[in-house]
PDB file of all heavy atoms in Angstrom:
ATOM      1  N   ASN A   1      17.134  -3.201  -9.627  1.00  0.00           N
ATOM      2  CA  ASN A   1      17.211  -2.232  -8.537  1.00  0.00           C
ATOM      3  C   ASN A   1      18.633  -2.184  -7.972  1.00  0.00           C
ATOM      4  O   ASN A   1      19.368  -3.180  -8.019  1.00  0.00           O
ATOM      5  CB  ASN A   1      16.194  -2.566  -7.453  1.00  0.00           C
ATOM      6  CG  ASN A   1      16.525  -3.835  -6.691  1.00  0.00           C
ATOM      7  OD1 ASN A   1      17.349  -3.836  -5.789  1.00  0.00           O
ATOM      8  ND2 ASN A   1      15.876  -4.951  -7.074  1.00  0.00           N
ATOM      9  N   PRO A   2      19.053  -1.030  -7.411  1.00  0.00           N
ATOM     10  CA  PRO A   2      20.440  -0.865  -6.962  1.00  0.00           C
ATOM     11  C   PRO A   2      20.744  -1.514  -5.608  1.00  0.00           C
ATOM     12  O   PRO A   2      21.890  -1.500  -5.172  1.00  0.00           O
ATOM     13  CB  PRO A   2      20.591   0.657  -6.855  1.00  0.00           C
ATOM     14  CG  PRO A   2      19.207   1.141  -6.546  1.00  0.00           C
ATOM     15  CD  PRO A   2      18.278   0.227  -7.316  1.00  0.00           C
ATOM     16  N   SER A   3      19.736  -2.090  -4.964  1.00  0.00           N
ATOM     17  CA  SER A   3      19.953  -2.638  -3.625  1.00  0.00           C
ATOM     18  C   SER A   3      20.638  -3.986  -3.625  1.00  0.00           C
ATOM     19  O   SER A   3      21.072  -4.468  -2.579  1.00  0.00           O
ATOM     20  CB  SER A   3      18.607  -2.778  -2.892  1.00  0.00           C
ATOM     21  OG  SER A   3      17.825  -3.790  -3.512  1.00  0.00           O
ATOM     22  N   GLY A   4      20.704  -4.630  -4.806  1.00  0.00           N
ATOM     23  CA  GLY A   4      21.311  -5.960  -4.870  1.00  0.00           C
ATOM     24  C   GLY A   4      20.354  -7.071  -4.520  1.00  0.00           C
ATOM     25  O   GLY A   4      20.740  -8.243  -4.475  1.00  0.00           O
ATOM     26  N   ILE A   5      19.102  -6.743  -4.255  1.00  0.00           N
ATOM     27  CA  ILE A   5      18.080  -7.754  -3.971  1.00  0.00           C
ATOM     28  C   ILE A   5      17.350  -8.071  -5.284  1.00  0.00           C
ATOM     29  O   ILE A   5      17.083  -7.185  -6.087  1.00  0.00           O
ATOM     30  CB  ILE A   5      17.090  -7.255  -2.906  1.00  0.00           C
ATOM     31  CG1 ILE A   5      17.825  -7.136  -1.558  1.00  0.00           C
ATOM     32  CG2 ILE A   5      15.894  -8.198  -2.759  1.00  0.00           C
ATOM     33  CD1 ILE A   5      16.989  -6.561  -0.434  1.00  0.00           C
ATOM     34  N   GLY A   6      17.075  -9.354  -5.499  1.00  0.00           N
ATOM     35  CA  GLY A   6      16.444  -9.770  -6.747  1.00  0.00           C
ATOM     36  C   GLY A   6      15.057  -9.181  -6.940  1.00  0.00           C
ATOM     37  O   GLY A   6      14.449  -8.625  -6.017  1.00  0.00           O
ATOM     38  N   TYR A   7      14.555  -9.324  -8.145  1.00  0.00           N
ATOM     39  CA  TYR A   7      13.233  -8.811  -8.527  1.00  0.00           C
ATOM     40  C   TYR A   7      12.154  -9.443  -7.646  1.00  0.00           C
ATOM     41  O   TYR A   7      12.048 -10.660  -7.551  1.00  0.00           O
ATOM     42  CB  TYR A   7      12.992  -9.133  -9.986  1.00  0.00           C
ATOM     43  CG  TYR A   7      11.660  -8.713 -10.543  1.00  0.00           C
ATOM     44  CD1 TYR A   7      11.090  -7.481 -10.227  1.00  0.00           C
ATOM     45  CD2 TYR A   7      10.973  -9.543 -11.427  1.00  0.00           C
ATOM     46  CE1 TYR A   7       9.867  -7.087 -10.763  1.00  0.00           C
ATOM     47  CE2 TYR A   7       9.755  -9.159 -11.977  1.00  0.00           C
ATOM     48  CZ  TYR A   7       9.211  -7.943 -11.639  1.00  0.00           C
ATOM     49  OH  TYR A   7       8.005  -7.564 -12.172  1.00  0.00           O
ATOM     50  N   GLU A   8      11.342  -8.597  -6.987  1.00  0.00           N
ATOM     51  CA  GLU A   8      10.272  -9.069  -6.111  1.00  0.00           C
ATOM     52  C   GLU A   8       8.963  -8.351  -6.469  1.00  0.00           C
ATOM     53  O   GLU A   8       8.610  -7.332  -5.856  1.00  0.00           O
ATOM     54  CB  GLU A   8      10.628  -8.829  -4.641  1.00  0.00           C
ATOM     55  CG  GLU A   8      11.832  -9.629  -4.174  1.00  0.00           C
ATOM     56  CD  GLU A   8      11.998  -9.620  -2.654  1.00  0.00           C
ATOM     57  OE1 GLU A   8      11.241  -8.886  -1.983  1.00  0.00           O
ATOM     58  OE2 GLU A   8      12.880 -10.338  -2.175  1.00  0.00           O
ATOM     59  N   PRO A   9       8.231  -8.861  -7.443  1.00  0.00           N
ATOM     60  CA  PRO A   9       6.988  -8.193  -7.831  1.00  0.00           C
ATOM     61  C   PRO A   9       5.916  -8.224  -6.748  1.00  0.00           C
ATOM     62  O   PRO A   9       4.950  -7.462  -6.827  1.00  0.00           O
ATOM     63  CB  PRO A   9       6.537  -8.982  -9.076  1.00  0.00           C
ATOM     64  CG  PRO A   9       7.210 -10.314  -8.954  1.00  0.00           C
ATOM     65  CD  PRO A   9       8.520 -10.044  -8.281  1.00  0.00           C
ATOM     66  N   TRP A  10       6.091  -9.060  -5.753  1.00  0.00           N
ATOM     67  CA  TRP A  10       5.108  -9.203  -4.678  1.00  0.00           C
ATOM     68  C   TRP A  10       5.322  -8.233  -3.516  1.00  0.00           C
ATOM     69  O   TRP A  10       4.449  -8.072  -2.685  1.00  0.00           O
ATOM     70  CB  TRP A  10       5.178 -10.625  -4.129  1.00  0.00           C
ATOM     71  CG  TRP A  10       6.550 -10.960  -3.593  1.00  0.00           C
ATOM     72  CD1 TRP A  10       7.055 -10.671  -2.344  1.00  0.00           C
ATOM     73  CD2 TRP A  10       7.608 -11.612  -4.308  1.00  0.00           C
ATOM     74  NE1 TRP A  10       8.347 -11.110  -2.245  1.00  0.00           N
ATOM     75  CE2 TRP A  10       8.723 -11.690  -3.425  1.00  0.00           C
ATOM     76  CE3 TRP A  10       7.730 -12.142  -5.596  1.00  0.00           C
ATOM     77  CZ2 TRP A  10       9.933 -12.280  -3.802  1.00  0.00           C
ATOM     78  CZ3 TRP A  10       8.926 -12.728  -5.968  1.00  0.00           C
ATOM     79  CH2 TRP A  10      10.017 -12.793  -5.076  1.00  0.00           C
ATOM     80  N   HIS A  11       6.479  -7.594  -3.431  1.00  0.00           N
ATOM     81  CA  HIS A  11       6.868  -6.836  -2.239  1.00  0.00           C
ATOM     82  C   HIS A  11       6.580  -5.344  -2.418  1.00  0.00           C
ATOM     83  O   HIS A  11       7.181  -4.678  -3.270  1.00  0.00           O
ATOM     84  CB  HIS A  11       8.359  -7.053  -1.950  1.00  0.00           C
ATOM     85  CG  HIS A  11       8.862  -6.338  -0.736  1.00  0.00           C
ATOM     86  ND1 HIS A  11       9.153  -6.987   0.451  1.00  0.00           N
ATOM     87  CD2 HIS A  11       9.128  -5.024  -0.514  1.00  0.00           C
ATOM     88  CE1 HIS A  11       9.579  -6.097   1.337  1.00  0.00           C
ATOM     89  NE2 HIS A  11       9.567  -4.895   0.770  1.00  0.00           N
ATOM     90  N   TRP A  12       5.681  -4.826  -1.580  1.00  0.00           N
ATOM     91  CA  TRP A  12       5.259  -3.420  -1.659  1.00  0.00           C
ATOM     92  C   TRP A  12       5.407  -2.766  -0.299  1.00  0.00           C
ATOM     93  O   TRP A  12       5.098  -3.354   0.731  1.00  0.00           O
ATOM     94  CB  TRP A  12       3.807  -3.347  -2.133  1.00  0.00           C
ATOM     95  CG  TRP A  12       3.622  -3.897  -3.522  1.00  0.00           C
ATOM     96  CD1 TRP A  12       3.547  -5.216  -3.878  1.00  0.00           C
ATOM     97  CD2 TRP A  12       3.545  -3.149  -4.730  1.00  0.00           C
ATOM     98  NE1 TRP A  12       3.430  -5.338  -5.231  1.00  0.00           N
ATOM     99  CE2 TRP A  12       3.405  -4.088  -5.787  1.00  0.00           C
ATOM    100  CE3 TRP A  12       3.554  -1.778  -5.026  1.00  0.00           C
ATOM    101  CZ2 TRP A  12       3.298  -3.691  -7.115  1.00  0.00           C
ATOM    102  CZ3 TRP A  12       3.432  -1.393  -6.349  1.00  0.00           C
ATOM    103  CH2 TRP A  12       3.312  -2.342  -7.380  1.00  0.00           C
ATOM    104  N   TYR A  13       5.898  -1.527  -0.315  1.00  0.00           N
ATOM    105  CA  TYR A  13       6.186  -0.783   0.921  1.00  0.00           C
ATOM    106  C   TYR A  13       5.318   0.472   0.969  1.00  0.00           C
ATOM    107  O   TYR A  13       5.243   1.220  -0.006  1.00  0.00           O
ATOM    108  CB  TYR A  13       7.674  -0.414   0.957  1.00  0.00           C
ATOM    109  CG  TYR A  13       8.113   0.345   2.180  1.00  0.00           C
ATOM    110  CD1 TYR A  13       8.254  -0.308   3.403  1.00  0.00           C
ATOM    111  CD2 TYR A  13       8.412   1.702   2.119  1.00  0.00           C
ATOM    112  CE1 TYR A  13       8.686   0.380   4.529  1.00  0.00           C
ATOM    113  CE2 TYR A  13       8.834   2.398   3.237  1.00  0.00           C
ATOM    114  CZ  TYR A  13       8.971   1.723   4.439  1.00  0.00           C
ATOM    115  OH  TYR A  13       9.396   2.412   5.552  1.00  0.00           O
ATOM    116  N   TRP A  14       4.688   0.691   2.109  1.00  0.00           N
ATOM    117  CA  TRP A  14       3.802   1.841   2.261  1.00  0.00           C
ATOM    118  C   TRP A  14       4.619   3.064   2.656  1.00  0.00           C
ATOM    119  O   TRP A  14       5.242   3.101   3.712  1.00  0.00           O
ATOM    120  CB  TRP A  14       2.745   1.560   3.319  1.00  0.00           C
ATOM    121  CG  TRP A  14       1.661   2.598   3.369  1.00  0.00           C
ATOM    122  CD1 TRP A  14       0.628   2.750   2.493  1.00  0.00           C
ATOM    123  CD2 TRP A  14       1.488   3.612   4.357  1.00  0.00           C
ATOM    124  NE1 TRP A  14      -0.187   3.792   2.865  1.00  0.00           N
ATOM    125  CE2 TRP A  14       0.327   4.351   4.010  1.00  0.00           C
ATOM    126  CE3 TRP A  14       2.196   3.986   5.495  1.00  0.00           C
ATOM    127  CZ2 TRP A  14      -0.132   5.429   4.758  1.00  0.00           C
ATOM    128  CZ3 TRP A  14       1.741   5.048   6.237  1.00  0.00           C
ATOM    129  CH2 TRP A  14       0.590   5.761   5.874  1.00  0.00           C
ATOM    130  N   VAL A  15       4.618   4.061   1.781  1.00  0.00           N
ATOM    131  CA  VAL A  15       5.367   5.287   2.026  1.00  0.00           C
ATOM    132  C   VAL A  15       4.461   6.424   2.485  1.00  0.00           C
ATOM    133  O   VAL A  15       4.932   7.522   2.794  1.00  0.00           O
ATOM    134  CB  VAL A  15       6.152   5.732   0.771  1.00  0.00           C
ATOM    135  CG1 VAL A  15       7.220   4.705   0.429  1.00  0.00           C
ATOM    136  CG2 VAL A  15       5.221   5.944  -0.413  1.00  0.00           C
ATOM    137  N   GLY A  16       3.148   6.188   2.522  1.00  0.00           N
ATOM    138  CA  GLY A  16       2.186   7.223   2.889  1.00  0.00           C
ATOM    139  C   GLY A  16       1.394   7.644   1.670  1.00  0.00           C
ATOM    140  O   GLY A  16       1.923   7.717   0.559  1.00  0.00           O
ATOM    141  N   GLU A  17       0.117   7.905   1.869  1.00  0.00           N
ATOM    142  CA  GLU A  17      -0.752   8.227   0.741  1.00  0.00           C
ATOM    143  C   GLU A  17      -0.526   9.670   0.277  1.00  0.00           C
ATOM    144  O   GLU A  17      -0.269  10.560   1.096  1.00  0.00           O
ATOM    145  CB  GLU A  17      -2.212   8.010   1.126  1.00  0.00           C
ATOM    146  CG  GLU A  17      -2.507   6.547   1.416  1.00  0.00           C
ATOM    147  CD  GLU A  17      -3.948   6.308   1.769  1.00  0.00           C
ATOM    148  OE1 GLU A  17      -4.761   7.243   1.621  1.00  0.00           O
ATOM    149  OE2 GLU A  17      -4.263   5.189   2.204  1.00  0.00           O
ATOM    150  N   PRO A  18      -0.631   9.906  -1.024  1.00  0.00           N
ATOM    151  CA  PRO A  18      -0.495  11.272  -1.535  1.00  0.00           C
ATOM    152  C   PRO A  18      -1.514  12.197  -0.885  1.00  0.00           C
ATOM    153  O   PRO A  18      -2.626  11.789  -0.574  1.00  0.00           O
ATOM    154  CB  PRO A  18      -0.768  11.116  -3.035  1.00  0.00           C
ATOM    155  CG  PRO A  18      -0.492   9.672  -3.331  1.00  0.00           C
ATOM    156  CD  PRO A  18      -0.866   8.929  -2.077  1.00  0.00           C
ATOM    157  N   ALA A  19      -1.127  13.432  -0.652  1.00  0.00           N
ATOM    158  CA  ALA A  19      -2.034  14.393  -0.025  1.00  0.00           C
ATOM    159  C   ALA A  19      -3.300  14.541  -0.848  1.00  0.00           C
ATOM    160  O   ALA A  19      -3.259  14.655  -2.070  1.00  0.00           O
ATOM    161  CB  ALA A  19      -1.337  15.749   0.095  1.00  0.00           C
ATOM    162  N   GLY A  20      -4.426  14.544  -0.154  1.00  0.00           N
ATOM    163  CA  GLY A  20      -5.701  14.759  -0.819  1.00  0.00           C
ATOM    164  C   GLY A  20      -6.283  13.528  -1.469  1.00  0.00           C
ATOM    165  O   GLY A  20      -7.337  13.601  -2.100  1.00  0.00           O
ATOM    166  N   LEU A  21      -5.608  12.376  -1.355  1.00  0.00           N
ATOM    167  CA  LEU A  21      -6.139  11.172  -1.965  1.00  0.00           C
ATOM    168  C   LEU A  21      -7.402  10.731  -1.243  1.00  0.00           C
ATOM    169  O   LEU A  21      -7.421  10.613  -0.022  1.00  0.00           O
ATOM    170  CB  LEU A  21      -5.105  10.038  -1.906  1.00  0.00           C
ATOM    171  CG  LEU A  21      -5.561   8.694  -2.473  1.00  0.00           C
ATOM    172  CD1 LEU A  21      -5.748   8.802  -3.978  1.00  0.00           C
ATOM    173  CD2 LEU A  21      -4.547   7.605  -2.150  1.00  0.00           C
ATOM    174  N   CYS A  22      -8.456  10.474  -1.975  1.00  0.00           N
ATOM    175  CA  CYS A  22      -9.709  10.002  -1.402  1.00  0.00           C
ATOM    176  C   CYS A  22      -9.922   8.550  -1.812  1.00  0.00           C
ATOM    177  O   CYS A  22      -9.634   8.165  -2.934  1.00  0.00           O
ATOM    178  CB  CYS A  22     -10.885  10.826  -1.904  1.00  0.00           C
ATOM    179  SG  CYS A  22     -10.833  12.548  -1.353  1.00  0.00           S
ATOM    180  N   PRO A  23     -10.440   7.715  -0.906  1.00  0.00           N
ATOM    181  CA  PRO A  23     -10.750   6.341  -1.278  1.00  0.00           C
ATOM    182  C   PRO A  23     -11.811   6.325  -2.377  1.00  0.00           C
ATOM    183  O   PRO A  23     -12.559   7.279  -2.556  1.00  0.00           O
ATOM    184  CB  PRO A  23     -11.299   5.733   0.018  1.00  0.00           C
ATOM    185  CG  PRO A  23     -10.842   6.641   1.107  1.00  0.00           C
ATOM    186  CD  PRO A  23     -10.761   8.004   0.482  1.00  0.00           C
ATOM    187  N   ARG A  24     -11.888   5.227  -3.115  1.00  0.00           N
ATOM    188  CA  ARG A  24     -12.923   5.088  -4.125  1.00  0.00           C
ATOM    189  C   ARG A  24     -14.288   5.131  -3.468  1.00  0.00           C
ATOM    190  O   ARG A  24     -14.453   4.735  -2.314  1.00  0.00           O
ATOM    191  CB  ARG A  24     -12.746   3.767  -4.882  1.00  0.00           C
ATOM    192  CG  ARG A  24     -11.557   3.778  -5.809  1.00  0.00           C
ATOM    193  CD  ARG A  24     -11.360   2.467  -6.501  1.00  0.00           C
ATOM    194  NE  ARG A  24     -12.524   2.079  -7.301  1.00  0.00           N
ATOM    195  CZ  ARG A  24     -12.494   1.085  -8.193  1.00  0.00           C
ATOM    196  NH1 ARG A  24     -11.377   0.406  -8.368  1.00  0.00           N
ATOM    197  NH2 ARG A  24     -13.547   0.755  -8.886  1.00  0.00           N
ATOM    198  N   PRO A  25     -15.305   5.613  -4.176  1.00  0.00           N
ATOM    199  CA  PRO A  25     -16.649   5.690  -3.596  1.00  0.00           C
ATOM    200  C   PRO A  25     -17.089   4.339  -3.053  1.00  0.00           C
ATOM    201  O   PRO A  25     -16.880   3.302  -3.672  1.00  0.00           O
ATOM    202  CB  PRO A  25     -17.514   6.111  -4.798  1.00  0.00           C
ATOM    203  CG  PRO A  25     -16.565   6.839  -5.692  1.00  0.00           C
ATOM    204  CD  PRO A  25     -15.240   6.135  -5.542  1.00  0.00           C
ATOM    205  N   GLY A  26     -17.678   4.371  -1.864  1.00  0.00           N
ATOM    206  CA  GLY A  26     -18.206   3.157  -1.267  1.00  0.00           C
ATOM    207  C   GLY A  26     -17.230   2.395  -0.410  1.00  0.00           C
ATOM    208  O   GLY A  26     -17.585   1.385   0.195  1.00  0.00           O
ATOM    209  N   LEU A  27     -15.982   2.861  -0.332  1.00  0.00           N
ATOM    210  CA  LEU A  27     -14.983   2.169   0.467  1.00  0.00           C
ATOM    211  C   LEU A  27     -14.713   2.945   1.747  1.00  0.00           C
ATOM    212  O   LEU A  27     -14.471   4.146   1.703  1.00  0.00           O
ATOM    213  CB  LEU A  27     -13.669   2.013  -0.310  1.00  0.00           C
ATOM    214  CG  LEU A  27     -13.741   1.215  -1.614  1.00  0.00           C
ATOM    215  CD1 LEU A  27     -12.349   1.087  -2.204  1.00  0.00           C
ATOM    216  CD2 LEU A  27     -14.356  -0.150  -1.395  1.00  0.00           C
ATOM    217  N   THR A  28     -14.745   2.283   2.859  1.00  0.00           N
ATOM    218  CA  THR A  28     -14.431   2.921   4.135  1.00  0.00           C
ATOM    219  C   THR A  28     -13.499   2.015   4.920  1.00  0.00           C
ATOM    220  O   THR A  28     -13.442   0.818   4.691  1.00  0.00           O
ATOM    221  CB  THR A  28     -15.710   3.160   4.974  1.00  0.00           C
ATOM    222  OG1 THR A  28     -16.340   1.893   5.232  1.00  0.00           O
ATOM    223  CG2 THR A  28     -16.669   4.084   4.247  1.00  0.00           C
ATOM    224  N   CYS A  29     -12.790   2.599   5.867  1.00  0.00           N
ATOM    225  CA  CYS A  29     -11.885   1.818   6.704  1.00  0.00           C
ATOM    226  C   CYS A  29     -11.683   2.566   7.998  1.00  0.00           C
ATOM    227  O   CYS A  29     -11.452   3.783   7.996  1.00  0.00           O
ATOM    228  CB  CYS A  29     -10.545   1.615   6.007  1.00  0.00           C
ATOM    229  SG  CYS A  29      -9.454   0.466   6.867  1.00  0.00           S
ATOM    230  N   ASP A  30     -11.810   1.889   9.130  1.00  0.00           N
ATOM    231  CA  ASP A  30     -11.686   2.610  10.392  1.00  0.00           C
ATOM    232  C   ASP A  30     -10.217   2.826  10.736  1.00  0.00           C
ATOM    233  O   ASP A  30      -9.326   2.238  10.124  1.00  0.00           O
ATOM    234  CB  ASP A  30     -12.441   1.883  11.515  1.00  0.00           C
ATOM    235  CG  ASP A  30     -11.771   0.606  12.004  1.00  0.00           C
ATOM    236  OD1 ASP A  30     -10.551   0.476  11.866  1.00  0.00           O
ATOM    237  OD2 ASP A  30     -12.475  -0.259  12.543  1.00  0.00           O
ATOM    238  N   PRO A  31      -9.909   3.692  11.707  1.00  0.00           N
ATOM    239  CA  PRO A  31      -8.524   4.048  12.007  1.00  0.00           C
ATOM    240  C   PRO A  31      -7.674   2.891  12.491  1.00  0.00           C
ATOM    241  O   PRO A  31      -6.448   2.962  12.448  1.00  0.00           O
ATOM    242  CB  PRO A  31      -8.665   5.119  13.104  1.00  0.00           C
ATOM    243  CG  PRO A  31     -10.041   5.662  12.936  1.00  0.00           C
ATOM    244  CD  PRO A  31     -10.868   4.512  12.459  1.00  0.00           C
ATOM    245  N   LYS A  32      -8.299   1.802  12.971  1.00  0.00           N
ATOM    246  CA  LYS A  32      -7.532   0.666  13.450  1.00  0.00           C
ATOM    247  C   LYS A  32      -7.124  -0.273  12.316  1.00  0.00           C
ATOM    248  O   LYS A  32      -6.455  -1.265  12.542  1.00  0.00           O
ATOM    249  CB  LYS A  32      -8.336  -0.115  14.494  1.00  0.00           C
ATOM    250  CG  LYS A  32      -8.577   0.674  15.776  1.00  0.00           C
ATOM    251  CD  LYS A  32      -9.299  -0.173  16.798  1.00  0.00           C
ATOM    252  CE  LYS A  32      -9.500   0.597  18.110  1.00  0.00           C
ATOM    253  NZ  LYS A  32     -10.208  -0.214  19.114  1.00  0.00           N
ATOM    254  N   GLY A  33      -7.560   0.038  11.101  1.00  0.00           N
ATOM    255  CA  GLY A  33      -7.157  -0.790   9.974  1.00  0.00           C
ATOM    256  C   GLY A  33      -8.131  -1.887   9.628  1.00  0.00           C
ATOM    257  O   GLY A  33      -7.833  -2.755   8.813  1.00  0.00           O
ATOM    258  N   ASN A  34      -9.312  -1.878  10.235  1.00  0.00           N
ATOM    259  CA  ASN A  34     -10.290  -2.906   9.938  1.00  0.00           C
ATOM    260  C   ASN A  34     -11.138  -2.519   8.730  1.00  0.00           C
ATOM    261  O   ASN A  34     -11.402  -1.349   8.496  1.00  0.00           O
ATOM    262  CB  ASN A  34     -11.217  -3.125  11.136  1.00  0.00           C
ATOM    263  CG  ASN A  34     -10.440  -3.573  12.351  1.00  0.00           C
ATOM    264  OD1 ASN A  34      -9.602  -4.468  12.257  1.00  0.00           O
ATOM    265  ND2 ASN A  34     -10.690  -2.954  13.486  1.00  0.00           N
ATOM    266  N   ALA A  35     -11.550  -3.496   7.970  1.00  0.00           N
ATOM    267  CA  ALA A  35     -12.393  -3.237   6.819  1.00  0.00           C
ATOM    268  C   ALA A  35     -13.281  -4.448   6.584  1.00  0.00           C
ATOM    269  O   ALA A  35     -12.897  -5.574   6.893  1.00  0.00           O
ATOM    270  CB  ALA A  35     -11.558  -2.955   5.584  1.00  0.00           C
ATOM    271  N   PRO A  36     -14.491  -4.256   6.021  1.00  0.00           N
ATOM    272  CA  PRO A  36     -15.352  -5.383   5.721  1.00  0.00           C
ATOM    273  C   PRO A  36     -14.782  -6.208   4.589  1.00  0.00           C
ATOM    274  O   PRO A  36     -14.082  -5.687   3.718  1.00  0.00           O
ATOM    275  CB  PRO A  36     -16.670  -4.719   5.305  1.00  0.00           C
ATOM    276  CG  PRO A  36     -16.271  -3.380   4.799  1.00  0.00           C
ATOM    277  CD  PRO A  36     -15.098  -2.966   5.654  1.00  0.00           C
TER     278      PRO A  36
END
């Protein structure tokens, strides 16, 4: 990567979900970020 930071396979950044993306059937999550 051009940032000069070493390879980090564990590090993921949320850029926002693609428009129209639906969760997999049976998965729900409330607006506060809680999930079973």
Side-chain angles (χ1 to χ4, degrees):
N1 69 81
S3 69
I5 293 176
Y7 178 42
E8 295 192 354
W10 59 84
H11 181 106
W12 297 79
Y13 181 74
W14 190 76
V15 295
E17 295 181 9
L21 178 68
C22 294
R24 288 177 59 167
L27 299 184
T28 60
C29 188
D30 73 25
K32 294 184 178 180
N34 299 313

